[in-house]
Amino acid sequence: MSVLSRSMTGPEASAERSVVDQLHDWVVTVDHKRLGVMYVVTGLIFLVVAGLEASVMRLQLAWPGLHIVPPETFNRLFTMHGTTMVFLVGIPIVFGFGNYLVPLMIGARDLAFPRLNAFGFWILLFGGLLLHFSVIGGDGLYGAGSAPSVGWFAYAPLTGRAFTPGNATDYWNLAIFVTGIGTIATSINLLTTILAMRGPGMIFGRLPIFVWVMLTVSAMTLVILPPLSAAQIMLMLDRYLGAHFFDTQAGGSAIMWQHFFWFFGHPEVYVLMLPGFGFVSEIIPVFSRKVIFGYTTIVLATVSIGAVALSTWAHHMFTVGMGGPLNSLFALSTMLISVPTGIKIFNWLGTMYGGKLLFRTPMLFCCAFLFQFLCAGLTGIMLSVAPFDWQLSDSYFVVAHFHFVLFGALVFTIFAAIYYWFPKVTGRMLSERLGRWNFWFLVIGFNVTFITMHVQGLLGMPRRVYTYMPDRGWEIWNLITTLGVPFQIVGVLLFVVNVIVSLRRGEPAGPDPWDAWTLEWATTSPPPSYNFEVVPVTTSRRPLWDLKHPDDPDGPHE
Amino acid sequence: MNAASMVPVPATAVPHAWRGRIGILGLIAAEISLFGVFVVAYLFYIGKSLNGPYPKDVLDVPVLATICLLSSSISVALGARALRRADVGRSGLWLLVTVLLGGFFLGATAREWHRLIYSAGLTIGTNLFGTTYYPLVGLHASHVIVGLVMLSLCCVLAWTKSLRPPHAERVEMVSWYWHFVDAVWVVVFTVVYVIGR
């Protein structure tokens, strides 16, 4: 084990440097690991912001007829919550993990284009700050408005100059356009890295699942994000130069915006969720002490989800009147995509079946993910049936469904990933005791909030309403939904405390605290800036297993 | 630890030769997607303008400009090849020819826009034809401008003898981008001047 235990002190090790110098190092860095950390920290900070926005909304909806915030503010809150969560929490965190882990997992020293990587991060951060600057800087030419209030999908013609004067909508438009540039840059970078920078022996059949996922996601992003940017250019032209793309009075089509937006918007859900699947596919085998069950199927399922995801977008538009053939087509493609997704659930269950399960915190989050993602998938199939969707579109049932996906599945896998890779990034373990408290508070709070939300939806409560009348039978369900929020807040607070405490006093992790098998665990924690002193040769899907057990390598069993 | 399974890699790892190519192909894929949306919007709005001027009344087919732009693909390829063969002077010359051909195309577009705006009275806000025409052709023209900036830079570097054979790979990547700009013009030309007229 000489390589594993050999001390590798990088330039970061010099602790005596001044704070300003260290800060300067972080600002000018092109190191994929530092940029990855900055991505994830940025995402977590925005997660807190967007979570607080959601909490205020839940307070407003806790009981009929409340006036905690004015109605205009409520519209801004749900717009900023949705926009922030998708573009400034989901994207930075999954691409941040991609940044940090992909080069380490494939035995590379950095991404293919380190400076482009730094550009991608800083332009995304700039976009995020621009969006939130709208809260104070939104008063513009017309003296109306502050934060955008058009919903995260900014449907036309609401975004037209006539309906949203002022600059609030332009802040949404430009900020998201700018973050899109960063995301495309990072996707090109990851794609190139995975295709061209793999270490010796790291053939495609041996790539870790997470790397396969990031390859799929990067390729998808290149196809789906530019249409959003194009639609946003059109919107800018409409608003500033008087073009008529989405202007129905001059013959333009408002539905066209919906098509362009959801051509981006639906695959985007998979861009966010597939990396979550990637985390789970790395974590469950390690804590089951088994190889992943059905490596080839899970890779094929990932790639086919990426392909089919491009043809499901209009299931968001069943209620706009596309007609029978289109409705059927998109209903079928949506049902089709649940097949590879279902296959993955069996992969994970098959991995756990007969394994020696270790319920450490990352594994706890993965187990909760399995249950919650199953619910999310089942309501997804329900909503793919067009007539069912006609009944429940724009109701709280839909809100509950996609929060089960993006919170119950994605955020839970992100927590699993943070608990799993924190030792690698910082060299210290997160506290297992606080981790369990964090997990239980979050899982109880989440389910109290979002299971009941299905009921409100089935009872007909529309989404995006400011308040509601007391005689609809929604009161008690809304109250329970809101009562789940404090549990989630405590859960997140415990996580923050855990990070702060563990950074100072956490148990030293060593290079490989989980006895794992992928290459990031073959180097020190934290890794030196050059990642590997000698790049290990990959001989199977579990290269580190082979290095640790030269007498019993994996290769012959694959 | 099985020592034989560890291969020492020098501290300054040499980037894989395909790095630049995959990177530029990724960019081109994203650009195709970007153009695709504008093309779809153009096709969708053909014949839906509520008032004139209509394409068949005001659009002239830019034959000469198209020939210039398409032939510049040949000259940029010759420029990249000359640099690979270490002939910097010839490379610079071919790149200059490319810049001139691309510059002529851009000038022709500018003349056409000037005529459309001031003689035909077509602006982006006039009708759906104007709304879709200017952004689509303009998006292409902006890509021509980016290409011309990169090619001019290569010309200047060739002139000052800073461009050397080791840079052949990078000039090659610029040429790939330029080929893409040409290929997009074929699509834009077909959509705007053939189908849409």
Side-chain angles (χ1 to χ4, degrees):
Chain A
M1 304 303 291
S2 59
V3 170
L4 298 189
S5 54
R6 195 181 298 160
S7 127
M8 297 186 206
T9 44
E12 303 95 320
S14 48
E16 65 274 10
R17 309 190 58 202
S18 77
V19 177
V20 177
D21 277 354
Q22 288 188 24
L23 212 58
H24 181 259
D25 284 353
W26 281 91
V27 172
V28 301
T29 187
V30 293
D31 180 0
H32 73 97
K33 295 180 290 299
R34 289 190 157 204
L35 286 162
V37 170
M38 287 199 281
Y39 264 118
V40 174
V41 170
T42 304
L44 289 175
I45 290 171
F46 281 124
L47 176 72
V48 171
V49 173
L52 288 176
E53 286 160 356
S55 308
V56 177
M57 283 192 280
R58 274 326 310 172
L59 214 56
Q60 163 65 30
L61 291 170
W63 200 250
L66 289 179
H67 295 286
I68 312 274
V69 289
E72 306 82 42
T73 309
F74 188 82
N75 291 353
R76 289 179 190 135
L77 283 172
F78 70 65
T79 304
M80 291 294 275
H81 171 75
T83 309
T84 309
M85 275 296 185
V86 170
F87 294 100
L88 302 172
V89 178
I91 291 266
I93 291 183
V94 301
F95 279 96
F97 271 103
N99 244 295
Y100 195 99
L101 293 173
V102 163
L104 283 167
M105 281 181 162
I106 62 175
R109 296 227 143 110
D110 206 324
L111 285 179
F113 310 108
R115 276 181 288 185
L116 182 70
N117 194 20
F119 167 79
F121 168 72
W122 289 107
I123 197 94
L124 182 132
L125 181 62
F126 173 72
L129 296 178
L130 186 64
L131 180 70
H132 284 80
F133 181 73
S134 68
V135 176
I136 50 172
D139 284 53
L141 224 50
Y142 310 87
S146 76
S149 56
V150 287
W152 85 279
F153 34 70
Y155 270 4
L158 184 58
T159 46
R161 218 167 21 172
F163 303 107
T164 42
N167 292 340
T169 305
D170 302 309
Y171 273 100
W172 179 89
N173 207 13
L174 279 170
I176 302 310
F177 181 75
V178 161
T179 62
I181 295 172
T183 310
I184 292 171
T186 309
S187 298
I188 293 176
N189 218 336
L190 282 170
L191 189 77
T192 312
T193 307
I194 298 169
L195 292 180
M197 309 278 285
R198 280 165 289 137
M202 186 56 85
I203 57 176
F204 279 106
R206 292 176 189 156
L207 284 183
I209 305 276
F210 180 71
V211 178
W212 266 111
V213 162
M214 289 316 290
L215 183 66
T216 312
V217 160
S218 305
M220 280 174 79
T221 306
L222 293 185
V223 181
I224 63 158
L225 206 55
L228 176 68
S229 306
Q232 287 176 323
I233 293 172
M234 291 175 185
L235 183 59
M236 260 181 269
L237 294 173
D238 271 15
R239 285 178 65 85
Y240 279 103
L241 299 181
H244 306 298
F245 281 108
F246 310 118
D247 174 8
T248 45
Q249 291 193 324
S253 164
I255 302 295
M256 198 168 167
W257 169 271
Q258 297 193 16
H259 277 294
F260 290 160
F261 184 85
W262 288 117
F263 182 75
F264 153 79
H266 195 77
E268 168 74 3
V269 177
Y270 292 96
V271 165
L272 295 177
M273 203 51 245
L274 282 172
F277 298 162
F279 298 148
V280 172
S281 307
E282 296 300 328
I283 294 168
I284 285 185
V286 169
F287 292 96
S288 305
R289 311 310 304 156
K290 274 175 72 187
V291 292
I292 185 104
F293 173 70
Y295 174 93
T296 319
T297 5
I298 209 164
V299 168
L300 286 175
T302 303
V303 176
S304 51
I305 286 175
V308 182
L310 300 179
S311 62
T312 57
W313 77 89
H315 67 219
H316 292 263
M317 300 163 57
F318 284 147
T319 50
V320 305
M322 291 184 298
L326 272 183
N327 279 352
S328 316
L329 179 75
F330 283 103
L332 283 174
S333 66
T334 307
M335 290 175 195
L336 185 67
I337 205 167
S338 65
V339 174
T341 318
I343 287 173
K344 289 190 163 199
I345 298 222
F346 287 106
N347 283 118
W348 297 317
L349 291 178
T351 308
M352 292 169 77
Y353 182 77
K356 189 165 171 281
L357 302 183
L358 301 169
F359 288 102
R360 307 292 295 271
T361 315
M363 186 63 163
L364 288 179
F365 277 104
C366 286
C367 293
F369 155 83
L370 282 177
F371 285 102
Q372 288 159 185
F373 181 66
L374 183 65
C375 294
L378 292 177
T379 52
I381 298 173
M382 289 158 82
L383 287 169
S384 76
V385 182
F388 189 84
D389 183 84
W390 292 336
Q391 180 65 27
L392 286 170
S393 185
D394 270 345
S395 78
Y396 262 91
F397 191 83
V398 175
V399 180
H401 159 69
F402 70 72
H403 279 86
F404 257 78
V405 178
L406 291 175
F407 190 171
L410 177 63
V411 173
F412 271 69
T413 59
I414 286 172
F415 274 110
I418 291 173
Y419 274 92
Y420 182 64
W421 278 292
F422 187 88
K424 177 50 59 186
V425 176
T426 63
R428 288 180 186 277
M429 307 294 286
L430 280 168
S431 154
E432 194 69 16
R433 213 161 67 96
L434 280 171
R436 277 163 194 277
W437 281 104
N438 170 5
F439 168 75
W440 285 110
F441 268 103
L442 209 60
V443 83
I444 291 170
F446 167 80
N447 283 294
V448 169
T449 295
F450 291 103
I451 288 179
T452 47
M453 216 177 248
H454 289 101
V455 184
Q456 284 141 254
L458 288 169
L459 292 175
M461 180 167 168
R463 62 191 283 207
R464 293 182 225 108
V465 288
Y466 167 63
T467 188
Y468 47 92
M469 305 304 280
D471 55 353
R472 303 292 168 89
W474 302 338
E475 300 96 323
I476 185 69
W477 301 107
N478 272 300
L479 189 63
I480 298 173
T481 300
T482 303
L483 283 179
V485 174
F487 288 90
Q488 298 176 47
I489 292 178
V490 171
V492 173
L493 273 179
L494 285 170
F495 169 73
V496 174
V497 170
N498 198 352
V499 168
I500 292 170
V501 170
S502 301
L503 273 177
R504 294 176 179 212
R505 292 206 300 268
E507 194 187 320
D512 183 19
W514 309 115
D515 194 12
W517 306 307
T518 36
L519 281 182
E520 75 271 27
W521 306 103
T523 184
T524 52
S525 304
S529 58
Y530 44 86
N531 289 356
F532 301 99
E533 196 167 358
V534 279
V535 177
V537 173
T538 307
T539 46
S540 77
R541 287 169 196 158
R542 298 197 298 171
L544 192 53
W545 170 277
D546 293 358
L547 291 178
K548 287 190 282 199
H549 305 91
D551 48 317
D552 180 24
D554 249 13
H557 305 297
E558 278 173 6
Chain B
M1 176 62 60
N2 183 359
S5 68
M6 308 295 281
V7 174
V9 175
T12 53
V14 183
H16 196 288
W18 279 83
R19 212 179 53 151
R21 294 175 194 190
I22 296 171
I24 198 82
L25 287 177
L27 179 72
I28 288 173
E31 296 273 23
I32 288 173
S33 192
L34 185 74
F35 273 100
V37 170
F38 280 92
V39 168
V40 166
Y42 195 94
L43 289 171
F44 181 74
Y45 283 136
I46 285 177
K48 293 210 169 83
S49 290
L50 300 182
N51 53 289
Y54 300 103
K56 61 178 185 307
D57 305 328
V58 290
L59 279 188
D60 292 332
V61 181
V63 178
L64 189 60
T66 302
I67 292 172
C68 282
L69 190 67
L70 294 187
S71 47
S72 73
S73 246
I74 300 167
S75 60
V76 80
L78 290 172
R81 195 176 68 167
L83 194 62
R84 261 202 315 279
R85 293 177 179 175
D87 193 346
V88 178
R90 185 179 291 257
S91 173
L93 205 62
W94 280 120
L95 292 177
L96 185 66
V97 171
T98 313
V99 170
L100 292 176
L101 289 169
F104 179 84
F105 173 84
L106 201 61
T109 305
R111 274 175 57 91
E112 186 181 30
W113 282 30
H114 187 272
R115 185 179 59 77
L116 286 174
I117 293 169
Y118 288 100
S119 309
L122 178 78
T123 67
I124 194 167
T126 308
N127 56 14
L128 283 172
F129 167 48
T131 288
T132 48
Y133 167 82
Y134 286 109
L136 179 57
V137 175
L139 188 69
H140 178 260
S142 65
H143 281 75
V144 173
I145 293 171
V146 171
L148 285 179
V149 169
M150 291 195 290
L151 288 167
S152 308
L153 201 65
C154 293
C155 281
V156 172
L157 292 174
W159 180 262
T160 59
K161 309 266 185 251
S162 311
L163 195 69
R164 290 188 304 275
H167 302 132
E169 175 84 14
R170 295 175 187 193
V171 175
E172 177 96 32
M173 292 309 103
V174 174
S175 81
W176 284 24
Y177 175 84
W178 191 252
H179 292 320
F180 159 72
V181 171
D182 281 6
V184 168
W185 179 248
V186 176
V187 176
V188 174
F189 183 88
T190 312
V191 168
V192 175
Y193 296 97
V194 180
I195 301 173
R197 214 158 70 98

